[in-house]
């Protein structure tokens, strides 16, 4: 059986150990999770034109983690000094990918930065920095409560899950039409969905790829994306 083709927007990297030049990359764990699910992951080059035509050949989209969105993208006047790896082309491309996937109904899974991109694409805002080490969700595995009856619950098969997180920003104002599907114990939004979306879509603030190889709940997110893409 032909594997559904899953578009994974590449992330710009200034350096990589195996290459002589700047690179376009995605985390191996993320790609392997799509492969285990039965998908054919394909990194795509961020460019500022032709998003609709380029995505037409794909069966699903995975918006991965990465650096910060430029705060000006959601109306902030200033940039917090903890915001890092902002790239204008990356922002433009990711936002267009998110909008097109949601408008067209292409199955979409958004992870970490991907969730934030979707929120901003729909008019939402972000809290630029959650505070010091006692508030940040960096290098942390914590319990997340999942709302019943959501696609997130159906994908993970649970109402509570241990989530591997690496982020210092979080959703502030929700984008239009979005509903919260998961929260951390401190109230941080950890999941989003569209109440009346055209296609399969869910977003998580954590990194399910970190533990998907050993946690069926996390692998279930990638499995659900590939099922929808079939």
């Amino acid at each position: 059986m032909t594997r559904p083709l899953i578009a994974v927007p590449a992330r710009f990297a200034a350096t990589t150990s195996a290459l002589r030049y700047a690179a376009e990359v995605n985390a191996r764990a993320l790609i392997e999770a799509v492969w285990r699910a039965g998908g054919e992951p394909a990194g795509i080059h961020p460019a500022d034109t032709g998003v609709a035509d380029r995505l037409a050949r794909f069966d699903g989209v995975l918006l991965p983690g990465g650096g910060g969105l430029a705060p000006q993208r959601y109306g902030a006047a200033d940039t917090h000094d903890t915001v890092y790896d902002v790239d204008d082309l990356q922002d433009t491309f990711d936002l267009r990918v998110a909008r097109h996937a949601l408008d067209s109904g292409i199955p979409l899974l958004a992870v970490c930065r991907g969730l934030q991109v979707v929120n901003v694409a729909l008019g939402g805002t972000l809290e630029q920095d959650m505070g010091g080490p006692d508030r940040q969700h960096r290098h942390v595995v914590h319990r997340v409560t999942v709302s019943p009856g959501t696609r997130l619950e159906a994908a993970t098969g649970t109402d509570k899950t241990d989530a591997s997180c690496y982020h210092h920003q979080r959703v502030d104002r929700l984008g239009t039409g979005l509903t919260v599907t998961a929260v951390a114990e401190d109230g941080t939004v950890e999941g989003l969905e569209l109440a009346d979306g055209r296609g399969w879509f869910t977003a998580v603030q954590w990194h399910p790829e970190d533990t998907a190889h050993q946690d069926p709940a996390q692998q279930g997110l990638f499995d659900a994306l590939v099922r929808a893409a079939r």
Side-chain angles (χ1 to χ4, degrees), residues 36-113:
R36 277 195 305 271
E40 183 71 65
I44 56 174
H45 170 66
D48 60 1
T49 59
V51 167
D53 288 341
R54 294 178 67 198
L55 290 183
R57 73 184 68 184
F58 292 96
D59 304 301
V61 177
L62 172 54
L63 265 178
L69 275 164
Q72 292 73 26
R73 297 279 183 170
Y74 44 93
D78 300 308
T79 300
H80 196 279
D81 59 12
T82 59
V83 176
Y84 64 94
D85 286 352
V86 172
D87 186 282
D88 186 61
L89 178 56
Q90 188 91 75
D91 288 354
T92 296
F93 185 67
D94 283 6
L95 287 164
R96 289 179 179 175
V97 167
R99 292 185 186 112
H100 179 72
L102 294 172
D103 288 345
S104 65
I106 299 173
L108 171 64
L109 172 62
V111 169
C112 198
R113 168 190 160 96

Side-chain angles (χ1 to χ4, degrees), residues 183-198:
V183 292
E185 291 180 350
D186 64 1
T188 295
V189 172
E190 293 282 354
L192 294 176
E193 290 177 11
L194 272 173
D196 57 354
R198 294 187 59 184

Side-chain angles (χ1 to χ4, degrees), residues 111-112 144 152 161 163-165 182 190-191 204-208 218 221:
V111 169
C112 198
V144 169
L152 180 56
T161 187
S164 175
C165 290
E190 293 282 354
V204 294
Q205 181 60 73
W206 70 87
H207 284 272
Q218 306 306 319
L221 282 161

Side-chain angles (χ1 to χ4, degrees), residues 2 23 32 55 61 63 91 115 123 172 174-175 186 198-199 202 210 212 214 220 223:
T2 302
E32 289 180 339
L55 290 183
V61 177
L63 265 178
D91 288 354
L115 175 147
D172 183 11
L174 282 177
D186 64 1
R198 294 187 59 184
T202 195
D210 289 0
Q214 62 187 16
D223 296 345

